[in-house]
Amino acid sequence: MDGHEAARRVDVAVIGAGVVGLGIAWEVARSGRSVAVVDPAPGSGASFAAAGMLAAVSEYHYQEEDLLGLMLASARRWAEFAEPLGAQAGYQRTPTLCVAADAADRRALADLRAVQEAHGLDVRALGVRKARSLEPLLAPGISGAFEITADHQVDPRRLVAAVLDRLGPDAVIRERAEGLVWADDAQPARVTGVRLADGRELAAGETIVANGLGARELAGLPVQLPLRPVYGDILRLRVPPPLRPLVTATVRGLVRGKPVYVVPREDGTVVIGATQREDGSDAVSAGGVYELLRDAQALVPAVAELELYETTARARPGTPDNAPLLGRVAARFAAGARAGVPAGGRDEGTVRGADDGGGPPDAAGLGHIPGLIVATGFFRHGVLLTPAAAKICVELLDGGTEERWNAFRPDRFAHERGRLDQAAAPRRTA
């Protein structure tokens, strides 16, 4: 299609073709709706680097109970989500071993286990001998291990390819999304599609913003999304045939208090990661590569004999509370955007509730903006949370979702601050 061709119309437009965006599009298509995904380079962002650990239990952090509930719900959906995609998706039920390099690391993992068990999570302590019988190439000097059978893995690159194959080439628009399209003077204000960078417009009954950090630059958003880039260095290594399998479980470890993981793949490779830095650099860090190799070898000494064939750095979209921005946006933010004032401004005369057509009431008793759903800010949990995000988005398309997911509303920080600056005015069309 050239830049002068009239845009087509779909039931749902999804901006962003990472794992989350594609997972949502796949679930939307399975619901019987027509869908188009807008992304110039599908699967090339954070999804390209991700190790794909489905680690709801071992990724639990203190005081993230709301997020834990979402993670567990998503983990339970993974087998159902992946099954129609077949073996091509790279989903494996391999367990996870959490390994401590020294006594201090063992105490830290034991403290975390106590909290995990208090939330009903299954974490089994293993003796060193038992752990090494399961994984013979673990270092003989490890201090302890814990087995988590519920934490599995998927290969994100294979998953992206599988979903793209199922959706078909006509469902993917390989162009950058420049902004949202809003109906001209509609009451209530509503989003009607996506404006592409080449000037075309894609009309859609619903638009889902799922392009990670790129959402910050999307024109016409009614709220500013508080996303920050959190960079990580990831290594991929090839295991020589005599050493295969290097490990059969995902090995997550603490080495002098620093986390490291080794994820085995079916093709005889392993993924080692991941550093976490907010230095603004998208280049691979030499120090990060050194630390990952050093710490991985402390747990699995044979790592020194592998072939390092790829180093990658990508930014993950973080939020102030490390939880995703997922759901609809309250109707009161639309008025400011349409009037050209900062989104979230307190013009109470323009607030619309459910009784004047602004959609069903949201958590604050107000209507939402029709035609718009946000699904971004998944930070280090994007792959794990894909089935849950997809299910929630389809539920929203159907007219509602579970109240407990209101904790992740994309406008929750706007409510706290009362206003949001630097919001771009939306494009208006008839």
Side-chain angles (χ1 to χ4, degrees), residues 59-123:
E59 283 274 323
Y60 169 71
H61 282 57
Y62 298 105
Q63 297 181 335
E64 291 186 355
E65 283 71 22
D66 286 337
L67 182 56
L68 175 63
L70 184 63
M71 292 163 64
L72 291 172
S74 198
R76 288 190 292 268
R77 283 186 50 80
W78 248 103
E80 175 189 350
F81 177 82
E83 192 275 333
L85 297 170
Q88 182 185 359
Y91 171 65
Q92 297 182 64
R93 292 179 176 271
T94 51
T96 294
L97 280 184
C98 293
V99 180
D102 60 27
D105 295 324
R106 184 183 69 248
R107 287 192 295 271
L109 288 178
D111 290 344
L112 179 58
R113 178 197 180 199
V115 178
Q116 291 166 330
E117 290 185 325
H119 286 89
L121 307 180
D122 184 14
V123 182

Side-chain angles (χ1 to χ4, degrees), residues 254-267:
L254 279 182
V255 181
R256 296 177 296 278
K258 302 188 74 170
V260 66
Y261 56 73
V262 181
V263 183
R265 292 282 193 250
E266 293 177 302
D267 62 357

Side-chain angles (χ1 to χ4, degrees), residues 31-53:
S31 75
R33 296 171 170 91
S34 61
V35 63
V37 185
V38 180
D39 194 309
S44 63
S47 299
F48 183 78
M53 293 178 295

Side-chain angles (χ1 to χ4, degrees), residues 150-184:
D151 283 357
H152 304 144
Q153 64 143 306
V154 69
D155 185 335
R157 295 181 183 181
R158 292 177 60 184
L159 177 64
V160 164
V163 176
L164 287 172
D165 182 62
R166 298 304 192 281
L167 290 174
D170 291 341
V172 181
I173 299 175
R174 293 178 180 262
E175 182 59 76
R176 182 177 62 84
E178 184 175 282
L180 301 178
V181 177
W182 289 68
D184 184 31

Side-chain angles (χ1 to χ4, degrees), residues 13 22 74 88 100 159 292 314 323 329 349 386 388 397 399 404 414 423:
L22 287 173
S74 198
Q88 182 185 359
L159 177 64
L292 289 174
R314 289 291 190 277
V329 178
T386 291
L397 295 175
R404 59 178 170 157

Side-chain angles (χ1 to χ4, degrees), residues 24-399:
I24 292 170
W26 167 241
E27 199 75 14
V28 168
R30 292 178 66 199
S31 75
R33 296 171 170 91
S34 61
V35 63
V37 185
V38 180
D39 194 309
S44 63
S47 299
F48 183 78
M53 293 178 295
L54 309 176
V57 178
S58 52
E59 283 274 323
Y60 169 71
H61 282 57
Y62 298 105
Q63 297 181 335
E64 291 186 355
E65 283 71 22
D66 286 337
L67 182 56
L68 175 63
L70 184 63
M71 292 163 64
L72 291 172
S74 198
R76 288 190 292 268
R77 283 186 50 80
W78 248 103
E80 175 189 350
F81 177 82
E83 192 275 333
L85 297 170
Q88 182 185 359
Y91 171 65
Q92 297 182 64
R93 292 179 176 271
T94 51
T96 294
L97 280 184
C98 293
V99 180
D102 60 27
D105 295 324
R106 184 183 69 248
R107 287 192 295 271
L109 288 178
D111 290 344
L112 179 58
R113 178 197 180 199
V115 178
Q116 291 166 330
E117 290 185 325
H119 286 89
L121 307 180
D122 184 14
V123 182
R124 184 165 66 102
L126 300 178
V128 171
R129 181 175 298 180
K130 176 62 176 177
R132 297 194 70 235
S133 72
L134 295 174
E135 298 293 348
L137 293 183
L138 285 176
I142 62 171
S143 182
F146 300 84
E147 184 179 39
I148 302 173
T149 58
D151 283 357
H152 304 144
Q153 64 143 306
V154 69
D155 185 335
R157 295 181 183 181
R158 292 177 60 184
L159 177 64
V160 164
V163 176
L164 287 172
D165 182 62
R166 298 304 192 281
L167 290 174
D170 291 341
V172 181
I173 299 175
R174 293 178 180 262
E175 182 59 76
R176 182 177 62 84
E178 184 175 282
L180 301 178
V181 177
W182 289 68
D184 184 31
D185 297 327
Q187 299 294 333
R190 67 173 297 116
V191 173
T192 60
V194 184
R195 185 171 72 257
L196 307 179
D198 64 5
R200 291 176 296 159
E201 291 179 355
L202 172 66
E206 297 272 5
T207 298
I208 301 176
V209 176
N211 56 335
L213 289 164
R216 298 179 303 175
E217 311 304 322
L218 198 63
L221 278 173
V223 291
Q224 180 184 347
L225 301 178
L227 300 167
R228 73 186 195 281
V230 183
Y231 294 90
D233 304 301
I234 301 283
L235 316 180
R236 284 173 166 80
L237 301 92
R238 191 167 288 111
V239 182
L243 290 176
R244 296 182 185 177
L246 182 77
V247 290
T248 59
T250 295
V251 175
R252 300 176 62 102
L254 279 182
V255 181
R256 296 177 296 278
K258 302 188 74 170
V260 66
Y261 56 73
V262 181
V263 183
R265 292 282 193 250
E266 293 177 302
D267 62 357
T269 64
V270 295
V271 182
I272 296 178
T275 60
Q276 187 169 301
R277 50 188 174 81
E278 300 188 41
D279 57 4
S281 173
D282 59 2
V284 175
S285 163
V289 172
Y290 165 74
E291 291 176 1
L292 289 174
L293 291 174
R294 178 197 65 196
D295 293 346
Q297 288 177 57
L299 302 178
V300 186
V303 164
E305 302 178 47
L306 310 188
E307 172 196 346
L308 176 62
Y309 72 91
E310 182 183 308
T311 60
T312 311
R314 289 291 190 277
R316 296 157 290 189
T319 64
D321 59 3
N322 295 332
L325 306 172
L326 179 59
R328 294 196 182 271
V329 178
R332 69 173 173 273
F333 296 110
R338 291 185 64 187
V341 301
R346 293 291 187 174
D347 182 358
E348 297 301 332
T350 59
V351 173
R352 295 185 176 88
D355 59 348
D356 57 11
D362 62 14
L366 301 170
H368 62 248
I369 297 171
L372 176 63
I373 296 172
V374 175
T376 186
F378 290 87
F379 191 25
R380 61 183 183 272
H381 305 304
V383 178
L384 167 63
L385 292 178
T386 291
K391 181 175 185 291
I392 289 169
C393 285
V394 170
E395 288 176 347
L396 289 167
L397 295 175
D398 289 339

